[in-house]
Amino acid sequence: MGDSDPVSTTPHQDLPSPSLHYPYSNLGERRAHLLPSKPCRSQTSRLSSTDLSPPPLPQKTLSRTRSLPTSNTLHYSSGCSSLPKREYQSNPGQTSWEKLRRPLLESQSLEEIPYGRVSRSGPEPHRLTFATPDWELGHFFQDLDSAQEVYKVLRGRQLDSLRCIEKRLGARLAGPWPGRGGPGQVFRLLDSKPCAESGDAWYYRVVRITEDTWHLLAAKVHKPWSMACEPLDTEPPGLALQATLKPHFNVQSLCGQLPAGTLPEAPWQGPVALVAEVPTQTVADWVGANKELHRTCAGQYERQVCLLLLQLCGALKQLHVDSLGHGDLRPENLLLVAPRGQPTGTLPQLLLTNFARTRPLVPQLPAREDELQLGLLVYEMLGQGPVLAQARGASPPPLPIRSAYSLALARLAPHLLQAEPDSRPSVAQVRVALQTMLWGPGPKLQAQGLPLGPWLDIHRALLPLELAERLAGSGEAAGLEDWLCCQYLTEASHHMVGWALDFLWGELPAAGD
């Protein structure tokens, strides 16, 4: 090019590169530079056709017409959170139609969402709540015109709701753990006499004060466990093992130690352990205090026996999962505590304690010692301990039948007292049998051959309704027995319920087998 070339006269002008792409520019304006120069056209705007090739047309990417709602579209509530309040007042600046079409405006194509976030089965049932907007119901029900489809979704929602109720009830009954304390804590002894006495310890009520927090605890003063004179600071047997156990509602929980000399007025010497639950009596005390109730109201008493045994099986099941056997199931080693927030006279909370004889379980050799002691405990709680002791190894005497519960326990006890350990049912199986005794189904359902799946669906739907009606009527909140029933209905399957019915009402084992 010569010096008279108009392009060379503007050395600082930015020239477009031949490969430069203008996807959203005015193509007519760009192509005008390619036309022959007119006399009236300024030479500074003219570009040679050899300097710039025509820019390619913009490539438009077509997306699928299917779309998914964004994360802001569905206003779900978490499974166990409180139900959100329905907002009846609409925004003055937004019409109802604008609310309805907003999910469509905020939608995204399937290609814009990672594969892992695309749900193949729709929203989870527990996200369906009373406050779910009407236009979101289609995300939960594939066909609202199908009663079977609606029933299937609601059945899953009922089970999720029952699990949420069970979880909340358990947290409320257990309450917060008081912890192990810290520096600056002060203790006060409330009584000079023990509030309860178990087979291995006395219990005294103690208050622990930390800044503005007060905790009512129990000082566990162990009894002498040997004839020799042991030092005061010697750790009682089983206490170190108890400190390593997983938390459970029916296992006594340790929460620190009371150092020696902390309470000069205390009727003991040396350090003692602190437990979170304050017992009122043992199962042995409870059996002795309710003899008249057993005589006059056998059904009421024996139902409570089944509920206490059910709690014990829950604690033993946890131990067996950790490959531990208690080895000393006696009424003196089972404590009773008033449940948190429950009125006086309701079902007590059972606590398993005294782990001095706890031993590891050997998987290759199922001793089933706890199951055998559980069968002996059934006799003692029904007032037949002395009669069983007189048998002296012979066939156990039959239990007297005073109600439907003692009838079922009389069917259970012979299985637990089998001589061969392999013939005894496990603690987990005994727990299912007790649940079936308490809440059904009964032997009549088995005799009629009715399906067990619909029976479970019916009771899973009726239990929350009963709890709500009681709360709305008399203001009675759900208690410990309701929580145990929730556990049963959330865990049960028609297979395990069918096994329990066959186990309880099938053919009894022969004596001495």
Side-chain angles (χ1 to χ4, degrees):
M1 294 183 183
D3 295 339
S4 61
D5 195 307
V7 177
S8 61
T9 59
T10 57
H12 300 289
Q13 182 179 0
D14 294 333
L15 296 180
S17 171
S19 61
L20 191 62
H21 182 48
Y22 297 93
Y24 299 106
S25 61
N26 191 331
L27 296 180
E29 181 181 353
R30 294 299 177 185
R31 291 177 178 177
H33 297 292
L34 304 178
L35 298 177
S37 176
K38 295 182 179 181
C40 60
R41 186 181 299 273
S42 173
Q43 295 295 325
T44 59
S45 62
R46 182 170 56 87
L47 296 177
S48 174
S49 61
T50 59
D51 297 333
L52 180 65
S53 61
L57 294 176
Q59 299 294 328
K60 184 176 181 180
T61 302
L62 298 178
S63 61
R64 299 181 183 178
T65 57
R66 293 181 299 170
S67 61
L68 289 178
T70 62
S71 58
N72 297 327
T73 303
L74 299 182
H75 308 285
Y76 293 144
S77 62
S78 60
C80 291
S81 62
S82 58
L83 294 178
K85 296 182 179 180
R86 185 188 294 270
E87 297 180 359
Y88 292 98
Q89 297 180 355
S90 59
N91 189 347
Q94 185 181 36
T95 62
S96 59
W97 167 245
E98 290 174 343
K99 284 185 176 181
L100 183 61
R101 64 192 295 264
R102 172 170 290 184
L104 302 178
L105 298 177
E106 295 180 350
S107 62
Q108 299 178 3
S109 64
L110 286 174
E111 288 78 10
E112 297 173 353
I113 300 178
Y115 178 80
R117 290 177 52 192
V118 178
S119 175
R120 301 298 176 185
S121 58
E124 298 179 2
H126 72 267
R127 299 183 181 273
L128 176 64
T129 68
F130 181 78
T132 300
D134 295 341
W135 64 81
E136 294 180 5
L137 294 178
H139 296 285
F140 299 93
F141 302 92
Q142 296 180 1
D143 185 6
L144 284 171
D145 294 330
S146 173
Q148 184 178 4
E149 170 68 18
V150 173
Y151 167 72
K152 181 180 68 174
V153 175
L154 291 181
R155 181 177 59 182
R157 182 64 183 91
Q158 289 168 355
L159 181 57
D160 288 332
S161 176
L162 202 59
R163 288 170 178 162
C164 181
I165 294 174
E166 185 271 331
K167 183 178 180 180
R168 289 185 175 182
L169 279 178
R172 179 170 63 84
L173 291 171
W177 187 58
R180 299 187 179 277
Q185 57 188 2
V186 180
F187 295 92
R188 291 183 183 178
L189 180 65
L190 297 183
D191 307 298
S192 59
K193 295 183 179 180
C195 59
E197 178 183 357
S198 65
D200 65 330
W202 296 280
Y203 293 89
Y204 293 83
R205 297 195 307 158
V206 174
V207 172
R208 184 176 66 191
I209 307 171
T210 305
E211 295 181 353
D212 297 334
T213 305
W214 291 53
H215 286 116
L216 179 61
L217 308 174
K220 183 176 183 179
V221 183
H222 281 83
K223 297 179 180 179
W225 61 89
S226 66
M227 300 300 296
C229 183
E230 299 287 345
L232 295 177
D233 57 350
T234 303
E235 185 177 88
L239 193 62
L241 175 64
Q242 183 179 355
T244 63
L245 298 178
K246 295 179 181 178
H248 191 274
F249 183 76
N250 297 114
V251 176
Q252 186 185 61
S253 58
L254 302 178
C255 57
Q257 188 183 55
L258 190 63
T262 305
L263 297 174
E265 71 278 12
W268 66 81
Q269 296 179 351
V272 296
L274 292 174
V275 295
E277 306 88 358
V278 181
T280 56
Q281 58 183 347
T282 63
V283 168
D285 300 329
W286 181 83
V287 171
N290 287 278
K291 289 182 178 180
E292 184 64 20
L293 178 64
H294 192 192
R295 187 183 65 84
T296 57
C297 301
Q300 178 183 351
Y301 173 83
E302 291 172 355
R303 179 177 179 83
Q304 289 191 333
V305 168
C306 293
L307 289 168
L308 293 176
L309 290 173
L310 178 62
Q311 296 183 65
L312 176 58
C313 287
L316 292 175
K317 180 183 176 182
Q318 179 65 51
L319 286 182
H320 291 187
V321 168
D322 296 335
S323 300
L324 294 174
H326 187 270
D328 197 9
L329 297 180
R330 293 181 292 125
E332 296 80 11
N333 292 331
L334 304 175
L335 296 172
L336 298 181
V337 180
R340 177 184 174 88
Q342 297 296 296
T344 306
T346 56
L347 176 68
Q349 173 187 357
L350 183 140
L351 291 177
L352 182 61
T353 183
N354 192 358
F355 298 90
R357 297 186 179 180
T358 301
R359 298 291 183 270
L361 296 177
V362 181
Q364 295 80 7
L365 185 61
R368 300 283 171 90
E369 184 68 21
D370 287 344
E371 287 80 357
L372 176 62
Q373 295 181 5
L374 197 60
L376 301 176
L377 192 62
V378 170
Y379 273 81
E380 295 194 47
M381 295 183 71
L382 293 180
Q384 300 299 309
V387 178
L388 183 63
Q390 293 176 1
R392 295 183 179 180
S395 299
L399 288 169
I401 308 302
R402 299 181 179 179
S403 71
Y405 301 105
S406 55
L407 174 62
L409 290 174
R411 308 277 299 186
L412 172 64
H415 292 281
L416 294 171
L417 298 178
Q418 288 293 298
E420 293 296 330
D422 292 340
S423 301
R424 303 169 195 158
S426 66
V427 165
Q429 293 173 329
V430 176
R431 181 170 176 263
V432 177
L434 289 169
Q435 290 172 331
T436 309
M437 292 182 199
L438 290 163
W439 298 291
K444 292 183 179 180
L445 188 71
Q446 182 190 31
Q448 296 174 1
L450 299 179
L452 299 176
W455 184 93
L456 288 172
D457 293 337
I458 292 172
H459 287 76
R460 284 167 178 164
L462 293 179
L463 179 59
L465 295 179
E466 179 181 347
L467 298 179
E469 290 173 356
R470 278 166 34 191
L471 183 62
S474 61
E476 179 186 356
L480 176 55
E481 184 174 347
D482 300 317
W483 179 52
L484 295 174
C485 184
C486 287
Q487 286 183 340
Y488 170 48
L489 292 179
T490 54
E491 299 170 359
S493 65
H494 66 279
H495 296 290
M496 59 186 289
V497 174
W499 173 89
L501 290 176
D502 293 336
F503 175 75
L504 286 174
W505 309 111
E507 184 178 355
L508 286 174
D513 288 353

